[in-house]
Structures are given as C-alpha cells and as structure tokens.
Amino acid sequence: MIQYGGDYNPEQWPLATRIEDVELMQQAGVTLVSVGIFSWAQLEPREGEFDFGWLDDILDRLAAAGIKVTLATATASPPPWLTRKHPEFLPVLADGTVLHPGGRQAYRVSSAAYREYVLRMTRTMAERYGTHPALALWHVDNELGCHVPHDFSDDAAAAFRRWLADRYGTVEALNAAWGTAFWSQRYDSFDEVLPPRSAPTYPNPTQQLDFARFSSDELLVHYRAMRDVLREITPDIPTTTNLMLSTGTKRMDYFSWADDLDVIANDHYTRAHDPEAHVELAFSADLTRGVAGGDPWMLMEHSTSAVNWQPRNRTKRPGEMLRHSLAHVARGADAVMFFQWRQSAAGAEKFHSAMLPHGGTDTDVWRNTVTLGSALKALSEVEGSRVRAQAAIVFDYPAWWGTELDSHPSAAVTYPDRVLAHYRALWQRNITVDIVRPSADLSGYALVVVPTLYLVTDADAANIAKAAADGASVLVTYFSGIADENDHIRLGGYPGAFRELLGVRSEEFWALQDGETLTLDDGTRADVWSEQTHLSPGTEAVRTYADGDLAGWPALTRRPVGSGAAWYLATRLDADGLQGVTDALIAEAGLSPELDGVEAVRRVADDGRSWLFVLNHTGDEVTVPASGHELLRDEAVAGGSLVVAPGGVAVVREG
Ligand code: GAL
C-alpha cells in the first residue's frame, strides 16, 4: 500500500469539524496523518498541567476509522509560558539579534535546560500514546533547522567548543586546521573560540565550515535525544523526522543524518517562478532516495496547490497535483502526504493550500484529493519496489558550504544550480540518476558526474578516481578538488585532488565578469569561469576556447583511464553546450535513453516485476511504446503503444 494523507492539526477546529474530518478522510482514501506537530501549547497549557482530552478523542476516532497516525513529539514550537520563563532558550543570530517567540521554532538546541523540557514532553507523549492502536510512526519535532539552522548564542558557543575539542583533541590541531597563523587568529585555548559571529570582515573560512558542520550535528544530536526516549519506551515503533531535501536547503548534511532515521521522510515544495519545477522535483526525489540508500521513502509534505511563503504563489494547474505526486512515487516514494489536511482559517498559513480547501468539497482541489487517493490505491502493488540507475551525480553538503563561502575568486560560482544543470541534461534523455555522496560505492555506475566538488577528502577523491579506472566515464567540472576538508588549498595547481585523474593542471583562474561570455571552438557558449589549463601527455583537448583571453586553451578535456575515462569541464557551459557534452558521455558510457518527450522512470521489485511511470509535462498528447497493463485506468496497453494525455500520467505494469 502507498500511504496517503497529510499533516492534520485538529487543535485548530471544533469537535464537529473533527468528526467531519475523519469522514472526509475516509472518502478520500487517506491512510496516514501526522498529528500534534505544533500542539505543545494546547497539550500543556501551563507548566506541568496537561490537557490530552482532545488528542485522545481524535486518535480514537482515527483508529476506529482505520487511519494510522504519525504522532509528533509536539515539540516543534515551545509554548509561550516556557520562553517567558526561560528567555535564555531563545536563539541568536550572528549579529546578536535574539529571535523572539510569536512565530515558531524559537528555541536553541544547544541549551541543556531547554532539551530537558523537550525530552520530558517527548516522554509524556510516548508514555501516553505508545500503545495507541493508531500509532504507526513517531514524528520527531518538525523540519529541524528549518528556520534556525545556525544559532550563535552562548549555549551554542559552548557546544561548539566541545564539538571542536572532540574533533581536534588539542588547540594546536585546531590552529593548524583553521590556518590561524593568518591575521593573528592563533588560539591559546578552546575557551577563546567563538562561533563565526558578525565580524569586521570575513571570519576564518574553516571556522565557518566547522560551524556549519557543528550546527548540522547539533540538530542531529537534538533529534537523537528525542529518538532515544521514544525507542526506550516504544522499541517497536519506527521514528523519523521530516527532512528538506531540495536544491533550496543547504544547512543540514542530510547524508550524515540518514542512519539515525528508521525511514527517510522528505518535505518538498515546487518553486512558482521555475517553469521546469518538475525537474527540480525529480532531482529532489532522487536526492531523497540517495539519502535513503536506495530504499523506499516517504514524501511527508508537499502542496495540493499554492503555498503561502513565496513572493507570488502559484496555483497548480489541472493534473499537476496528481502528476507531481506520482513523480515522487516514480522515484521511490511509498507515501504521498501533504501539508496539510484542512486549510487553516487563521494564522500565518491560512493561504496555504490543503487537501480540503476553504471552499469545501465542491472544489477542484477536493476532487483532486479524492482522485489521488484512488490513484494511489491502484498503485498499491508498487510498494517496496526500487529504482535502479546506471548514472550517478556526486552531491555533497560540505562541498556546497565550501563553494559558497565568501572571499572566493567569483561569487557567481554556485553549487546547487550547477548540480541541477547537469541533472537536467540527463533528465532530458530520461537517464535515471542516483544522487550520491562522494564516499558512495560507485562501482555500479557507467557514468559519474562530479559537479563543482570544491572540497574533497583524499579518500573521496580516490573513490572517484577508482570509478574511472573501473570503467566509468567520469566528468569533473570547474572549481573541484581545490581544497581539502579543512579548506586548505591543495598545492601544485588546480584542480588539486583531481589533477592526476584528469591529467590537467590549471595555473590560474580567469573568472568572467557579469554578462561576459566565451565561445568554444564548436560554437557553444560559456560564462562565469575559465582556466589556464595545461594538459599532461595522453590528455586530449576535446574543446578549446575560440575567443577571449584564453583563446586556444582547453575548455573540455578527456583522458582515458583504465577501462574508463576522465573528463574535465573547465568552464560553465550554457544549456545547449552542456547537453552536447552530456550526450557524448551518455554515448561513451553505453547508456540508452528511455523514451522521448516524456519523463519515464522504472521501479523494479525483487521478484523482477517492473512498473514504468510515464509523466507528460507538456500540453500535447504523447504516444510512447509500452506493453503491459496500465494501472490508473486499469486497462491493457493496446498494440504496444501508450497514449498519455496532455499533462497526464500513466503507470504500466510491464510484461
Ligand atoms: C513546512 C512545514 C509545515 C508547513 C509547510 C508549509 O516547512 O514543515 O509545517 O509550514 O512548510 O509549506
């Protein structure tokens, strides 16, 4: 069964509405709802005084209706009495600004005293509801780090020092790692170290990097503390928290969180201004699967229609909600859930769409909710199957943080948009891609793309080199391998860690000004970046610059390595140029593009059954070759060809 549902906030509604909610959930085929996420202030209105009546009642009603619950620890936002009593729990920005209550998530995870309150609430929830028949999964807090990924308070400073002492052992080792001989930054003891608070000019880059690592770890420590309480009381109930895997959230190193979650759950929202939002959606879904190690995962939140937090929010077009939902399923989701079940009448999210909108049941949104419920029922057999990919894109949060630090050669060298550009070029050809961390086992991939991996460990660089030696086509792009994990330059020429693999040595970067472009010898265009690159014997210049200061110098190179090849792209190609390079790599790697004109992904079961998801993001009807049984319409694919309506989706059990 593919689970179906959303966040459910019954505390916002009177009993009669809650009774109607359960009836309508049944009508829509809802199987799972997330309850209690923001209900601490309702559940504990005064310190130590609890009011569980309303939650008992709704959980009983849900259980009676056969609807399971992802029950929250209720800690996502502390109640007003708590931060009034303990204003020292409030988080602080780099410039000393205190973030006050009145919104949500006004807490600092490094405060031991705050955590005591959180663990007490977690324990209370687990003891009260641990055996409730509706309970299927624990939902720890909510989007940890969403609003306060970095806290610069004194509590955070103390925790940061402990984290550093643990990482480096001695202050000498910290001085070496941070390069503190520069600008009189030498520390004589850990006690002198601070978070990278607002400073007269660039704070130490390694300090910034370590603070990013620490902050991600500190949020994870907070998660673990709650998870451990839940595990102690309900060892058989799995635990998760909702991650924010997309090209928009850079603050948490989610690959390092994965082992602590029993199931990976993601929240994903498309961007109104992006005409190709479905490509970013596909990337985020593949990234989620990557964090899940290939296992099925849960789409914990997305939206039925517009959200409320973008500058201009876009209503979903007919068919889009179903198509986007199934695009996640195609890429490994075994649950499709929304924020939220019933659209709020008050509060900051009253203009955010929901499964049941302000207009009630005589609305397209509601009809879409019901249609999706039946579609997911029709796809039950897909549950548990997996997506297999022959291509990988290497993706790394510390590299993202490192790339976008200040005081670099060009502020136009960015990370997620480049990863997405490479992803898009593969998506265009329906090459299914795994998004993996640099230390992943790359042995199964014929094609490995490594966009702008600015900092990299020796071991990870060796892992990538091994993929080429073992037969993969490996593409590394500009501003990769520049630094080690401490953000120290790898001396001897760029791209440092990949010089040998690629057979190139760049002596100087030639960053381009805004609007400045270059032409390559095949007529394709580039901007942002170029390099003065020397080639080792055996490395071939596949493309050179045709104009500009570096006319005649290599822009794209290739070196045969073992049974594979290592390519270096030293500039930022436009979309057409990148497509050309990607097509050459696809051909060299022997990958065959799936179908043309549609998005196509396959899920495969252990027993060999397979399902082809075909998503038509265009306004035209598309006919593609397929054979088998189409599950949404429940009919055989006739004559070996499948017609997919404009904006439509089809799922074919093959064979
Ligand atoms: C998420 C959050 C939800 C809701 C939603 C709105 O970040 O977890 O509580 O705010 O966004 O899109």
Side-chain angles (χ1 to χ4, degrees):
M1 175 160 68
I2 308 286
Q3 300 289 347
Y4 182 42
D7 282 14
Y8 178 39
N9 298 302
E11 63 272 33
Q12 296 174 16
W13 301 99
L15 180 61
T17 310
R18 296 180 212 162
I19 291 172
E20 185 192 56
D21 282 334
V22 177
E23 281 165 22
L24 290 175
M25 283 177 196
Q26 286 181 299
Q27 269 183 40
V30 164
T31 61
L32 186 67
V33 286
S34 305
V35 180
I37 296 173
F38 293 100
S39 59
W40 192 349
Q42 248 82 16
L43 291 172
E44 190 181 7
R46 284 160 298 280
E47 184 167 3
E49 284 180 39
F50 292 91
D51 173 12
F52 286 114
W54 63 271
L55 186 53
D56 293 351
D57 177 79
I58 193 66
L59 291 185
D60 290 350
R61 287 178 196 280
L62 289 165
I67 297 168
K68 293 286 185 191
V69 167
T70 294
L71 189 60
T73 50
T75 53
S77 213
W81 59 258
L82 180 53
T83 42
R84 176 165 177 253
K85 183 176 173 194
H86 292 290
E88 73 278 12
F89 292 170
L90 297 174
V92 179
L93 298 182
D95 66 358
T97 303
V98 174
L99 299 177
H100 290 280
R104 65 175 176 185
Q105 225 176 57
Y107 59 71
R108 53 173 84 161
V109 291
S110 300
S111 160
Y114 174 65
R115 188 168 298 154
E116 278 310 306
Y117 278 96
V118 164
L119 296 185
R120 200 197 60 190
M121 188 62 195
T122 303
R123 181 171 294 277
T124 305
M125 293 295 283
E127 281 171 350
R128 185 163 190 100
Y129 297 112
T131 56
H132 196 283
L135 177 64
L137 178 67
W138 287 114
H139 182 105
V140 168
D141 214 88
N142 191 64
E143 288 191 346
L144 286 157
C146 167
H147 303 300
V148 192
H150 295 164
D151 165 35
F152 293 80
S153 67
D154 289 343
D155 283 318
F160 185 38
R161 285 181 207 114
R162 288 193 295 273
W163 184 92
L164 291 168
D166 206 40
R167 182 176 176 90
Y168 294 111
T170 65
V171 77
E172 288 74 26
L174 173 116
N175 279 314
W178 285 18
T180 57
F182 181 80
W183 277 357
S184 183
Q185 291 174 350
R186 181 190 168 276
Y187 294 100
D188 205 48
S189 107
F190 281 106
D191 297 338
E192 296 168 357
V193 180
L194 291 169
R197 291 179 176 153
S198 298
T201 185
Y202 312 119
N204 180 302
T206 317
Q207 177 190 16
Q208 294 190 58
L209 196 58
D210 273 349
F211 190 64
R213 291 184 173 117
F214 153 77
S215 299
S216 174
D217 286 357
E218 193 65 1
L219 288 159
L220 178 59
V221 163
H222 195 60
Y223 167 86
R224 278 189 195 135
M226 285 182 263
R227 190 269 324 267
D228 289 349
V229 168
L230 298 168
R231 245 186 214 171
E232 176 201 323
I233 300 165
T234 57
D236 298 330
I237 304 289
T239 302
T240 192
T241 188
N242 42 348
L243 308 182
M244 294 166 281
L245 288 151
S246 78
T247 55
T249 304
K250 94 186 224 195
R251 298 304 183 190
M252 277 66 66
D253 179 357
Y254 283 139
F255 281 109
S256 74
W257 288 39
D259 288 348
D260 283 292
L261 275 59
D262 293 322
V263 53
I264 297 297
N266 196 40
D267 295 350
H268 185 267
Y269 292 93
T270 49
R271 299 174 298 192
H273 62 269
D274 182 358
E276 292 195 326
H278 51 277
V279 180
E280 199 278 336
L281 182 159
F283 170 82
S284 301
D286 285 347
L287 173 60
T288 308
R289 190 180 67 252
V291 167
D295 288 342
W297 47 277
M298 299 178 74
L299 177 63
M300 190 62 98
E301 289 181 23
H302 69 150
S303 68
T304 57
S305 191
V307 300
N308 66 306
W309 44 264
Q310 298 180 8
R312 292 167 189 242
N313 298 293
R314 198 168 74 68
T315 300
K316 288 198 175 165
R317 304 201 167 91
E320 198 172 339
M321 189 266 241
L322 177 72
R323 203 170 67 249
H324 283 186
S325 298
L326 298 193
H328 285 285
V329 176
R331 294 176 187 278
D334 271 1
V336 174
M337 301 178 65
F338 292 92
F339 177 84
Q340 62 175 325
W341 161 253
R342 184 187 281 269
Q343 188 168 14
S344 296
E349 294 185 318
K350 56 186 175 297
F351 293 115
H352 193 295
S353 62
M355 299 168 81
L356 178 58
H358 289 154
T361 51
D362 188 11
T363 55
D364 284 345
V365 169
W366 173 254
R367 284 182 278 274
N368 291 340
T369 296
V370 175
T371 302
L372 177 57
S374 347
L376 294 175
K377 210 172 278 173
L379 299 184
S380 292
E381 64 189 56
V382 171
E383 188 207 344
S385 60
R386 297 164 80 93
V387 176
R388 297 196 184 146
Q390 286 180 280
I393 293 182
V394 171
F395 184 82
D396 188 45
Y397 286 95
W400 186 351
W401 303 335
T403 305
E404 296 183 356
L405 282 172
D406 44 36
S407 62
H408 272 198
S410 171
V413 174
T414 49
Y415 188 70
D417 59 313
R418 293 325 292 161
V419 176
L420 191 58
H422 287 275
Y423 180 84
R424 180 183 177 279
L426 290 159
W427 183 92
Q428 284 290 102
R429 302 293 184 243
N430 272 314
I431 301 294
T432 302
V433 178
D434 283 344
I435 312 295
V436 298
R437 64 198 309 190
S439 57
D441 177 3
L442 300 173
S443 59
Y445 302 111
L447 173 59
V448 177
V449 180
V450 185
T452 306
L453 195 67
Y454 165 72
L455 58 83
V456 63
T457 63
D458 290 347
D460 290 350
N463 187 45
I464 289 165
K466 183 173 180 299
D470 290 350
S473 294
V474 175
L475 171 69
V476 177
T477 76
Y478 63 93
F479 215 47
S480 285
I482 303 297
D484 66 12
E485 61 271 38
N486 292 326
D487 200 22
H488 290 214
I489 296 295
R490 293 173 173 280
L491 303 177
Y494 316 117
F498 298 115
R499 225 165 36 218
E500 209 177 303
L501 166 69
L502 301 167
V504 301
R505 182 179 60 84
S506 296
E507 56 176 286
E508 205 164 13
F509 305 134
W510 290 67
L512 306 180
Q513 294 305 302
D514 196 13
E516 200 181 340
T517 59
L518 295 173
T519 311
L520 272 53
D521 59 358
D522 64 344
T524 54
R525 314 278 294 172
D527 65 359
V528 171
W529 193 258
S530 56
E531 295 175 12
Q532 194 177 350
T533 306
H534 302 271
L535 305 189
S536 311
T539 305
E540 167 202 1
V542 181
R543 300 267 175 273
T544 56
Y545 301 106
D547 57 16
D549 292 316
L550 295 178
W553 286 81
L556 174 68
T557 67
R558 180 180 180 279
R559 175 175 169 252
V561 183
S563 50
W567 297 63
Y568 184 50
L569 178 59
T571 187
R572 192 177 91 153
L573 289 176
D574 69 7
D576 288 346
L578 198 57
Q579 193 64 58
V581 173
T582 306
D583 288 346
L585 283 155
I586 291 171
E588 180 181 275
L591 302 179
S592 35
E594 184 73 47
L595 296 168
D596 223 12
V598 289
E599 178 178 352
V601 198
R602 187 169 275 118
R603 283 184 68 160
V604 183
D606 286 346
D607 61 11
R609 282 174 308 151
S610 66
W611 296 268
L612 180 68
F613 286 71
V614 184
L615 302 131
N616 179 4
H617 299 286
T618 75
D620 303 314
E621 185 178 280
V622 179
T623 304
V624 293
S627 63
H629 193 86
E630 204 288 316
L631 298 178
L632 299 175
R633 279 183 292 182
D634 191 16
E635 61 188 31
V637 178
S641 72
L642 175 74
V643 179
V644 190
V649 47
V651 184
V652 178
R653 183 204 300 129
E654 297 179 298

